[in-house]
Amino acid sequence: MSDNPAARPAAPVVERRGLLARLARARPTQPGEIYGVPGAGETRMLSIATIAVLIFIWWLSTTLGWVKPLFVPAPQAIVQDFVTILRRGYTGEPLWLHVGISTARVFGAFMLACLIGIPLGLAMGISPVMRGIFDPPIEFYRPIPPLAYLPLMIIWFGIGETSKVLLIFLSVFAPVALGARSGVRSAAIEQIHAAYSFGATRWQVLMRVILPSAMPEILTAMRIGIGFGWTTLVAAEMVAATSGLGYMVLSASQFLQTGIVIMGIIVIAAIAYMFDLIMRMLERRLVPWKGRM
Amino acid sequence: MADVELKHVSKRYAHGRQTTETLRDVSLRVGDGEFVSLVGRSGCGKTTLLRIVGGFVDADGGDVLVDGSPVTRPGSDRGMLFQHPMLFPWLTVLDNTLFGPRATGRHSPQARARAMELLQIVGLGGFEFHYPKQLSGGMMHRAAFARAMMAEPKILLMDEPFGALDALTRAGMQQFLLDLWNRRRFTVILVTHDVEEAVLMSDRVAVMAAGPGQIIETIPIDLPRPRSYEMSETPEFVQLKRRVRQSVERARGKAPVSVMNPTAGH
């Protein structure tokens, strides 16, 4: 081999590329790979850029007067609304109370749905009797939009907290129970046989083999479930509520306070996103074997 | 130690109106500390037979005796190994090995020490706290092996345990199993479709035919022990291999005739 420097591969040239070029590159594969899994790669920069562009277009169209503030207020107006409500509250209640009561409703309903839904789903997965009994009612009500049975909830349980929490509960319950039920099938029959051959009892097989195998699917179902919970929140707070984020949005819309409506939506989205982040963290903590190691 | 005795075992599976006769009148005795292989093409019921001995599946007819008492359920006297290691992915290698002691309430510092020692023996020293995902295929099999041995089974039931491994790893695992068996002399029933593996490992090879599954011949393998891969080129080995292969061929030839031409009675 000659030691001619020209024969060596050229050192990577540090290119001064534009922002767009750098964003579009978005690293399609793992470093060192040329052909990776389709869809692999970093997306954060692109996502941030998308959000920035959307806000920019929003700002531009309001500043140039393309849309009336009644329909779409300027971003800075919404920040203004946010600050005002943060200081003075909305309809006499401070913002944190609205946030708190909504979170309590969604989270309470979610916890209840998990406490009942996960064991019931597991039971449905392992017992044909339980499946036979509970499958029809769950499958019957699952596709119905919560708004459709909201009136029934109110007739039966009044306009207090019960009907609100119950409505959210029902929307979370079905996905969680069905997730746990199908998670039961994640355990391989050989894994179960292996556990029996080590002297495990039926209960131990359930708790130490079937439950951990089902765990990833249960956590995914919980993530989907809490998403449904936030979706149903506004419906639950539509009737006779005097506090909560859903109530804030709805009553602001009646006074054409579009800024507060949008602000409320953003706050709901932010909290829901935070919940999702917490769920993902839980996923990483509880089922570390699922991800890449 | 323990022996296994199958007397006129039969098994049918129903699929709607149809029933498949998976096993017909299978009798086999596996002596204490004996290494017996079941060889046959897929669908001959060898896995079902193993599951019946394991206690996971009930036979429809006949008797299944382990140490003279009928098998009614799975037990830690019979260890199972499968084609795939079937480790629990949520447990570390050590915790996988300790699954049995924990389930049966026999977990103790001694059990832990024994698990560490077993992992050392199977060559997984230093990998005790790894998760199965972090191991290679052969390592997972060895971990599964350590886990099975942890229960100190008197009988080891293996269902094509090395079938999914590459040739080099397979040879290593076979040698490993031979060495371990030489030292401990537990009773083994090995299901395989690899004739060479069956001859190399076993004291006897039972050849099975399909449709319905039955044992058509039991061939004694009177090669000296301890055995190793070098033997596979000796004339005796080659001859035995040929004999088993011919028997498997006969079994194969037999089955389609009885399926396609069931009235042929001469």
Side-chain angles (χ1 to χ4, degrees):
Chain A
M1 280 261 298
S2 71
D3 211 29
N4 181 3
R8 289 200 211 124
V13 181
V14 181
E15 280 181 67
R16 284 187 174 278
R17 281 189 282 184
L19 178 70
L20 266 176
R22 255 186 289 156
L23 289 177
R25 205 165 60 94
R27 281 229 306 252
T29 54
Q30 287 283 301
E33 283 178 23
I34 297 174
Y35 296 100
V37 182
E42 189 61 51
T43 58
R44 182 168 306 183
M45 286 302 289
L46 259 180
S47 304
I48 292 171
T50 306
I51 294 166
V53 168
L54 284 176
I55 291 176
F56 177 74
I57 293 171
W58 178 13
W59 172 82
L60 198 71
S61 54
T62 49
T63 311
L64 298 179
W66 294 344
V67 279
K68 285 189 181 139
L70 175 65
F71 297 113
V72 184
Q76 59 270 29
I78 283 158
V79 175
Q80 195 63 53
D81 281 339
F82 182 68
V83 172
T84 312
I85 286 180
L86 207 56
R87 266 205 215 120
R88 296 203 215 126
Y90 186 78
T91 58
E93 312 267 21
L95 181 62
W96 64 262
L97 198 100
H98 291 293
V99 170
I101 192 92
S102 286
T103 309
R105 280 169 187 153
V106 173
F107 197 66
F110 171 72
M111 292 299 279
L112 204 63
C114 290
L115 279 177
I116 301 173
I118 294 171
L120 185 73
L122 289 174
M124 283 170 76
I126 56 171
S127 149
V129 175
M130 295 296 275
R131 195 162 57 240
I133 294 172
F134 288 101
D135 191 57
I138 292 179
E139 288 298 341
F140 171 75
Y141 96 81
R142 192 172 62 95
I144 305 172
L147 267 177
Y149 49 79
L150 175 62
L152 273 183
M153 293 284 117
I154 290 163
I155 293 168
W156 292 343
F157 301 102
I159 52 171
E161 287 302 310
T162 316
S163 58
K164 294 184 184 65
V165 173
L166 204 62
L167 192 76
I168 303 173
F169 165 81
L170 283 173
S171 72
V172 183
F173 176 76
V176 169
L178 293 180
R181 171 187 157 175
S182 73
V184 168
R185 277 186 301 233
S186 308
I189 184 70
E190 283 93 349
Q191 276 177 328
I192 294 169
H193 282 176
Y196 277 128
S197 77
F198 301 139
T201 60
R202 273 170 202 274
W203 177 250
Q204 283 171 331
V205 166
L206 177 64
M207 294 309 285
R208 293 175 185 222
V209 180
I210 291 173
L211 184 62
S213 302
M215 215 47 197
E217 214 160 326
I218 291 174
L219 283 169
T220 307
M222 282 165 74
R223 258 178 83 186
I224 294 170
I226 199 149
F228 278 133
W230 284 104
T231 311
T232 318
L233 173 72
V234 179
E237 290 180 348
M238 267 171 82
V239 179
T242 52
S243 58
L245 289 169
Y247 155 76
M248 190 176 88
V249 168
L250 283 165
S251 73
S253 79
Q254 277 156 12
F255 297 104
L256 294 178
Q257 294 168 309
T258 320
I260 295 174
V261 172
I262 294 178
M263 186 210 86
I265 289 171
I266 293 174
V267 172
I268 291 175
I271 298 171
Y273 184 64
M274 245 169 52
F275 263 86
D276 198 57
L277 286 184
I278 294 171
M279 285 304 299
R280 281 194 225 177
M281 203 183 71
L282 265 177
E283 230 167 10
R284 275 197 302 274
R285 293 283 310 262
L286 290 176
V287 292
W289 68 90
K290 263 292 152 187
R292 210 175 289 184
M293 301 196 85
Chain B
M1 284 298 170
D3 55 75
V4 179
E5 192 157 11
L6 298 158
K7 287 184 194 159
H8 313 293
V9 170
S10 63
K11 178 74 190 170
R12 289 163 194 275
Y13 280 108
H15 318 275
R17 279 190 193 169
Q18 266 191 318
T19 53
T20 312
E21 196 174 5
T22 314
L23 294 173
R24 178 191 284 174
D25 193 22
V26 173
S27 295
L28 178 71
R29 216 194 99 78
V30 182
D32 185 16
E34 195 182 13
F35 200 128
V36 172
S37 290
L38 298 175
V39 180
R41 63 184 191 135
S42 18
C44 70
K46 44 193 200 301
T47 295
T48 302
L49 195 61
L50 205 66
R51 285 191 176 166
I52 287 173
V53 178
F56 304 116
V57 173
D58 266 342
D60 292 333
D63 297 309
V64 185
L65 305 171
V66 169
D67 259 347
S69 38
V71 168
T72 52
R73 58 164 121 161
S76 53
D77 56 333
R78 283 151 289 148
M80 269 305 254
L81 279 173
F82 308 91
Q83 183 171 2
H84 298 287
M86 290 300 158
L87 297 172
F88 303 119
W90 52 90
L91 299 177
T92 61
V93 171
L94 180 65
D95 286 335
N96 260 288
T97 316
L98 287 171
F99 184 94
R102 287 215 172 99
T104 50
R106 285 186 281 105
H107 182 51
S108 61
Q110 289 91 314
R112 195 185 149 90
R114 229 178 74 72
M116 298 289 267
E117 189 195 324
L118 265 169
L119 288 172
Q120 201 78 43
I121 292 172
V122 300
L124 286 175
F127 289 94
E128 292 90 349
F129 301 103
H130 282 57
Y131 281 92
K133 255 200 145 170
Q134 297 166 300
L135 305 182
S136 70
M139 287 161 92
M140 282 197 237
H141 270 277
R142 283 181 278 151
F145 210 95
R147 184 177 67 171
M149 295 311 294
M150 193 64 199
E152 295 185 1
K154 298 175 200 153
I155 301 161
L156 203 54
L157 307 171
M158 294 192 276
D159 190 358
E160 295 182 28
F162 312 131
L165 293 173
D166 64 274
L168 287 175
T169 314
R170 184 160 58 233
M173 286 301 294
Q174 286 165 346
Q175 190 62 56
F176 169 75
L177 178 59
L178 273 177
D179 293 344
L180 198 75
W181 182 82
N182 260 329
R183 271 185 278 156
R184 307 258 170 117
R185 296 279 168 156
F186 35 82
T187 308
V188 179
I189 302 179
L190 171 74
V191 163
T192 181
H193 51 233
D194 181 345
V195 170
E196 178 153 332
E197 177 173 277
V199 173
L200 177 68
M201 317 281 285
S202 323
D203 297 318
R204 278 187 299 146
V205 175
V207 178
M208 289 186 76
Q214 50 197 308
I215 294 175
I216 58 159
E217 195 179 358
T218 308
I219 301 165
I221 308 293
D222 41 13
L223 293 169
R225 301 256 185 197
R227 296 190 194 154
S228 69
Y229 242 89
E230 284 90 72
M231 274 182 179
S232 62
E233 277 146 39
T234 61
E236 294 83 8
F237 191 99
V238 174
Q239 206 180 347
L240 278 165
K241 216 165 77 180
R242 190 178 304 131
R243 171 120 196 264
V244 174
R245 189 157 285 143
Q246 278 165 353
S247 182
V248 171
E249 284 303 316
R250 266 202 305 283
R252 183 201 277 281
K254 199 178 136 256
V257 170
S258 66
V259 168
M260 293 189 305
N261 195 3
T263 49
H266 46 271

